[in-house]
Amino acid sequence: MGEAVEGREAVDLLERTRVVVNPRLRTTVESLPGSIRRVAMYHFGWEHADGTPAAGQAGKAIRPALVLAATGALGGDPDDALRAAAAVELVHNFTLLHDDVIDEDATRRHRPTAWTVFGTPDAIIVGDALLALALRLLAEDGHPAAPAASARLASCVIELCAGQQADCAFEQRGPQEVSLDECLDMAMAKTGALLGCACSLGALYAGAGPEEVAALDAFGREAGLAFQLIDDLIGIWGDPGRTGKPAGADLASHKKSLPVVAALTSGTPAAAELAELYRGPMGAAAVRRAAGAVDRAGGRDWAQIHAADRMARAVDQLSRAVPDLKAAGDLLALAEFVTRRSR
Amino acid sequence: MGEAVEGREAVDLLERTRVVVNPRLRTTVESLPGSIRRVAMYHFGWEHADGTPAAGQAGKAIRPALVLAATGALGGDPDDALRAAAAVELVHNFTLLHDDVIDEDATRRHRPTAWTVFGTPDAIIVGDALLALALRLLAEDGHPAAPAASARLASCVIELCAGQQADCAFEQRGPQEVSLDECLDMAMAKTGALLGCACSLGALYAGAGPEEVAALDAFGREAGLAFQLIDDLIGIWGDPGRTGKPAGADLASHKKSLPVVAALTSGTPAAAELAELYRGPMGAAAVRRAAGAVDRAGGRDWAQIHAADRMARAVDQLSRAVPDLKAAGDLLALAEFVTRRSR
């Protein structure tokens, strides 16, 4: 099967996921009290700021797709896991709302972020409400897996918080004061944890045992780290039309992303050049020079090779829970898809 | 039984609650990842900002005491409800952290608020983590009441969010553009909901049926509204030594508290005077004049009478679930205590 076909498979799968999950997600969000609902409907792209309907898309639905694909891969009925899929997507959106406030990001999915439209208080409050909504969805689920899924999702949120906190703390430190291991731990907490949680919840809803659940969690985490590495490469070199993130954006904001930290800690002359650039203001010319320095210091190659390595580990983990990988086709297609976005 | 003795009873009950709940609360908070734990330990008063131990008290423990008292009043074993008691206190503290960020309050329990010490991002993140921790505590509880308790607590958080959102929205409106009914609804969501939730969780952990749970919820809500009315009176006239809130603080910040809105909507000449004052800056002289205007417009009397009325409704609700009110002595003592603070 060629790459284009594999990519197509994931695109179709995400579309099918949105068809089944988005109506439930939307019904759940519409159950919020009016004032909060309005901000949430805007954030998900279902309404404009003035409350009129918008045709926007709520997100690619990668995490819900992982939940449903994991349930299916372990012999369960994905329909049983629809609440869990919606809950994971609500948690993802809770983090987006709060991270945008904390990072002062002005754009999300090609639109002004909620805090820029409704103010910081509303964005904090609506993030809180989405988190509570996610945990209520699971608490109200009668499925025998629901209590364990609730506990895992709540633990995951705590890990996401630790990841976001570490990310903020790194910003306060000098260019060469963050180690690559710290940076990898942070990315695992901030990105890997929720993808792992999505897969493990899917496994729980298939009635899987602790070892299978742990293997699915590890699969999602490793794939999540590969995803983050690719996302960090996009934050330096890639493709604003497709991702909504302008090239060089991470460099302009002095972000200590994984390729940047790999470059900064490489001990090369280009590392010193990059550190010097990161100590000053980052105009367009400095951003171009910094991108070149990351490349020459080996940060770009390292990130691409490390992403491939993490994907191999992900597949290894998956094969522990699903020995016949044909049953895990959807999970593999999704993992390939998220690490293929920059091409 | 005299009033002094009743007050003593509640003080002893709160002390006994802290003895059993605080160790569990502290163990739970200590399970957080290091960076987040530090901020949480400071917020609860267990550590100074530099991480050295502090002798501070985590809070009065009114909400946990309500949980345990409700379980006892309905014939359950309060020991079964310790997790629920800790979970409710964690949710309370999540709201304090976020509300202090949103309201830009600089002092809490006689100490600088977390956001002033650690920054706004950390305070947002640690609030998020406490909310997740609360819901994890219940999700990991094996008690048959835990799923229903989780769903109620999550619903309550959504109501708290709506209350806080309404409170913020009122601040943007002119002095006479908020009706007393809107203000009462906001106070019920922001304060009454969590006290009601505490009582209803206690009832669930006693194995109570839906009608008893609903009556306990209503008891807590009505008592909570009485509590808010008294707290609002303290925010204008009372006692900084005991509450940590300087007299006039709510007036200085143009807060549309219940007695203020009652005064503003009274149609009296003092209402017009108060509205005029609220349109300008509130220095010490203006605060004194505004307090006088609230009094002359009837806001003070209304709040006191309405608090007594709400307490009567609370007792009426309680008697539906606990016909022999002797069994509800602890709940009544707590309700009396929280509405007695200004004397």
Side-chain angles (χ1 to χ4, degrees), chain B residues 251-262:
Chain B
L251 298 176
S253 62
H254 296 82
K255 197 170 153 74
K256 297 186 187 75
S257 67
L258 288 160
V260 168
V261 173

Side-chain angles (χ1 to χ4, degrees), chain A residues 222-234:
Chain A
E222 297 294 351
L225 204 64
F227 171 48
Q228 187 59 57
L229 285 155
I230 301 300
D231 203 53
D232 284 353
L233 289 169
I234 293 172

